[in-house]
């Protein structure tokens, strides 16, 4: 039985599954038919509400012919869908664009941010962000402009009637 509620992790998982189904040229209904599932089961899956096992996920990924990098991402994300909060380990380097941060910020109605040591990312001017990135030991010089573009894209999401509070 599905858990019938979603979490931030579950919603990200669902968004990625929806994209995989679309890339396969199928609808949720068509995927349900291919797998012999009820359409409600696919609906719960793509809405991040669970309702499937790891084996069923593998079958869905195979039916959608999901390429290896995304398949691994989904398989790693799946067991943690029910956890509240969203902490991601990125290894040595943060990604240039975080799909998780972008999708959650786009869906948010309010944002509260606490940064005791620096100006929050979303409030940084281009010059300030460039200086911080250039001084970072983990940011390659070749990535600088792309990271600044990604920051501007995130800052644009603040214009969506988002109620923001920043503590500095």
């Amino acid at each position: 039985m599905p858990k019938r509620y979603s979490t931030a992790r579950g919603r990200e998982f669902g968004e990625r599954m929806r994209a995989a189904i679309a890339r396969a040229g199928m609808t949720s209904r068509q995927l349900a038919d291919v797998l012999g599932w009820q359409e409600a089961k696919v609906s719960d899956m793509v809405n991040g509400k669970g309702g499937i096992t790891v084996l069923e996920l593998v079958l869905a990924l195979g039916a959608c012919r999901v390429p290896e990098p995304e398949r691994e991402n989904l398989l790693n994300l799946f067991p943690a869908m029910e956890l509240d909060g969203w902490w991601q380990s990125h290894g040595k380097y943060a990604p240039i664009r975080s799909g998780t941060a972008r999708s959650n910020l786009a869906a948010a109605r309010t944002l509260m941010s606490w940064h005791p040591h620096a100006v929050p990312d979303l409030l940084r001017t281009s010059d300030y962000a460039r200086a911080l990135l250039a001084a970072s030991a983990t940011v390659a010089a070749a990535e600088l402009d792309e990271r600044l573009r990604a920051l501007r894209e995130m800052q644009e999401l603040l214009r969506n009637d988002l109620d923001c509070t920043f503590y500095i």
Side-chain angles (χ1 to χ4, degrees), residues 35-51:
L35 296 172
W37 295 357
Q38 292 182 356
E39 192 172 1
K41 185 172 190 161
V42 175
S43 176
D44 282 342
M45 177 181 69
V46 299
N47 286 305
K49 296 181 179 180

Side-chain angles (χ1 to χ4, degrees), residues 1-2 13 17 37 41-42 44-45 49-58 60 78 81:
M1 179 59 90
F13 173 83
M17 283 305 302
W37 295 357
K41 185 172 190 161
V42 175
D44 282 342
M45 177 181 69
K49 296 181 179 180
I52 62 170
T53 66
V54 174
L55 179 58
E56 290 170 325
L57 171 58
V58 170
F78 181 74
M81 280 177 41

